[in-house]
Amino acid sequence: MSYQRRDFLKTTALASAGVMFSQVSWSASSYKRIIGANDRVRVGVVGFSDRHRNSHMPCFLNHYKELNFDVVAVSDIWKQRREEGAAMWKAKLGHDVVAYRNNEEMYAKKDVDAVFVGTADFQHALHAIEAVKAGCDAYVEKPFAETMEDNRAALKAIKASKQIVQIGSQRRSGANYHAADSFIKSGKFGPITMVELTWNVNQPGRWRRPALLSQLKEADTDWKRFLMNRPAEAFDPRKYLEYRLFWPYSSGLPGQWMSHQIDTVHWFTGLQHPRSVVANGGIYMWKDGRRNWDTLTAVFDYGPANDPSSGFQVTFGSRMHNGDERPTEIYYSNGGELNLNTNKVIPRGGLTKQHADEMQMQANLLPEFSLSEATAVAASANTGGDLLTSNHVRNWMECVRSRKQPNAPVEAGYYHSIANIMTTAAAHTGLKATFDEKKQEVMVGGKVFTS
């Protein structure tokens, strides 16, 4: 049988999952199925969303034959979506794909080894927990979590498993981003003094689904399952289909866009989260009943927690009513800038040799050069099978086979989520948000941020 697996008992103790978790030992029920080199990896789809349809699907199809993967199941609580998903995958793969009403049904059959998680923002961490507890590897879209409670629970569950989890932060699979990481870590760039992040679009329909709203009927879905651990609220097709516009189902701009860019700050510097965040903004253009802002500016202080005299500032600005869809990521040092749009390091704005000589000081003088072959960042509403995501999906698939850690392990999601939640806390309260390392909680006004 092509799906045979060998079982063995996990007998070693789990090393600490982070500062807030103690050791966990494997119980007799903790079995793991080993995927052999010639076994086909059976993949399930958790949420046949636009992201899955437009991006996961074409990227998976780029690599599945070579790596011997197959999609065998689609789980979606909305009847229309799960039927569409099963039909579309059958058309692509030439065989039947089982449509499940929910994840419990799918996991109970034990016929999937790995899953794509592309559900609503607030569900990602919770669906990741379900996946690893079912013994499945997972590709989990970002933002990883929108509350610290979900963030801590998902990190703990994933670290207590031996599953391969890739967070959908696809910049981590870009050659130019790896080159930037190596250059900054080499010390040749000098200490980072500031980072400017922007993500501006002008798309009136971004995150809106007006054509679908009339098609979604409460009888055809499971509203309680959709809400998961969020407060009870009356069925609302807008919150179901346009969740990115409505807290607490999404933080909007921080979770959707900032999470990508702030992750590179953590990656390049080794810092896990900001020391503090302040934020301002509002709904200035799209007054359509949304709860989440259409314009946001957040300012971050980064640096060692035990050395407030050392560090740098990060700014994130985003607007949905004027923009060219070219996300900007520029790192500055006293020697110049590293620009991940132009993919160049240049001395512009840096200290010159003349200035250094006049001040009788050492200067980190940067030559102008390209980091590597640039990988374009897709920012449109429908990114399709862009190269970064295709590379990222392939990396996950290869790691499912090799059992090596992928480019964006769970820690990447945990830490970008801290920054996201700190931004949400600052935006919702108007106060400076900080982070309590011991409690692993976001704090505002001396209290744990809860809503």
Side-chain angles (χ1 to χ4, degrees), residues 92-345:
K92 296 290 186 183
L93 300 173
H95 63 71
D96 287 339
V97 172
V98 182
Y100 290 103
R101 293 179 300 172
N102 54 61
N103 297 339
E104 287 87 341
E105 283 190 357
M106 180 175 71
Y107 291 135
K109 293 293 185 180
K110 299 186 184 300
D111 61 358
V112 294
D113 307 303
V115 293
F116 279 107
V117 175
T119 47
D121 291 355
F122 76 100
Q123 298 172 336
H124 295 160
L126 302 172
H127 284 152
I129 293 170
E130 290 180 357
V132 299
K133 286 188 174 180
C136 288
D137 301 320
Y139 183 102
V140 182
E141 273 301 338
K142 35 55 52 199
F144 183 57
E146 295 279 22
T147 68
M148 282 307 302
E149 180 182 9
D150 293 347
N151 204 23
R152 290 191 303 271
L155 177 64
K156 184 176 181 179
I158 292 167
K159 296 296 283 185
S161 77
K162 289 295 183 183
Q163 304 312 130
I164 300 300
V165 173
Q166 174 91 295
I167 305 301
S169 300
Q170 62 264 28
R171 280 165 170 74
R172 289 194 179 228
S173 292
N176 50 329
Y177 284 90
H178 279 272
D181 175 54
S182 296
F183 182 69
I184 289 172
K185 285 187 169 73
S186 74
K188 296 176 182 178
F189 185 60
I192 295 169
T193 54
M194 187 167 181
V195 184
E196 290 182 350
L197 309 174
T198 64
W199 198 310
N200 301 318
V201 303
N202 193 353
Q203 297 173 342
R206 191 69 175 253
W207 302 345
R208 295 291 308 273
R209 299 291 183 270
L212 276 179
L213 293 177
S214 62
Q215 299 176 35
L216 178 63
K217 306 299 181 185
E218 187 172 6
D220 292 333
T221 190
D222 191 329
W223 177 242
K224 288 185 178 180
R225 283 185 186 272
F226 174 82
L227 291 176
M228 300 192 80
N229 65 356
R230 293 311 188 257
E233 190 169 359
F235 173 73
D236 186 339
R238 285 202 69 193
K239 295 181 179 71
Y240 190 109
L241 292 168
E242 300 178 349
Y243 57 84
R244 293 183 181 96
L245 304 177
F246 298 98
W247 177 262
Y249 311 112
S250 172
S251 59
L253 296 170
Q256 275 294 306
W257 293 339
M258 191 192 80
S259 63
H260 279 299
Q261 296 183 318
I262 209 72
D263 176 59
T264 66
V265 176
H266 301 160
W267 176 21
F268 297 168
T269 66
L271 297 168
Q272 296 176 348
H273 57 76
R275 290 187 292 211
S276 68
V277 185
V278 293
N280 211 333
I283 303 171
Y284 298 127
M285 182 68 197
W286 306 122
K287 302 181 186 300
D288 54 6
R290 68 182 64 197
R291 292 175 186 167
N292 291 332
W293 293 351
D294 63 13
T295 307
L296 169 73
T297 299
V299 182
F300 305 79
D301 173 53
Y302 271 89
N306 61 356
D307 183 10
S309 66
S310 175
F312 57 94
Q313 186 179 81
V314 178
T315 60
F316 171 78
S318 185
R319 59 181 182 265
M320 302 186 73
H321 43 77
N322 181 284
D324 59 3
E325 298 183 53
R326 284 180 52 81
T328 300
E329 297 161 82
I330 305 176
Y331 285 73
Y332 296 96
S333 73
N334 191 235
E337 69 177 53
L338 185 156
N339 188 317
L340 282 158
N341 284 71
T342 63
N343 206 42
K344 292 183 181 296
V345 174

Side-chain angles (χ1 to χ4, degrees), residues 400-429:
V400 167
R401 290 212 167 276
S402 70
R403 311 314 292 173
K404 294 179 180 178
Q405 280 297 298
N407 287 340
V410 62
E411 290 84 357
Y414 187 78
Y415 296 131
H416 84 223
S417 295
I418 293 175
N420 291 349
I421 297 161
M422 289 176 72
T423 305
T424 299
H428 286 200
T429 65

Side-chain angles (χ1 to χ4, degrees), residues 34-109:
I34 299 300
I35 298 172
N38 297 320
D39 289 336
R40 179 165 296 172
V41 179
R42 304 166 300 171
V43 178
V45 175
V46 176
F48 191 72
S49 58
D50 291 340
R51 177 64 176 169
H52 182 80
R53 180 199 317 251
N54 296 327
S55 190
H56 297 166
M57 179 178 276
C59 292
F60 179 88
L61 292 170
N62 287 340
H63 311 294
Y64 82 105
K65 287 184 179 178
E66 177 188 354
L67 297 175
N68 197 17
F69 276 62
D70 193 17
V71 169
V72 299
V74 171
S75 168
D76 199 297
I77 57 176
W78 184 16
K79 181 175 183 288
Q80 179 172 314
R81 281 268 171 89
R82 66 174 171 266
E83 290 177 352
E84 287 176 353
M88 285 188 69
W89 274 113
K90 179 179 180 179
K92 296 290 186 183
L93 300 173
H95 63 71
D96 287 339
V97 172
V98 182
Y100 290 103
R101 293 179 300 172
N102 54 61
N103 297 339
E104 287 87 341
E105 283 190 357
M106 180 175 71
Y107 291 135
K109 293 293 185 180

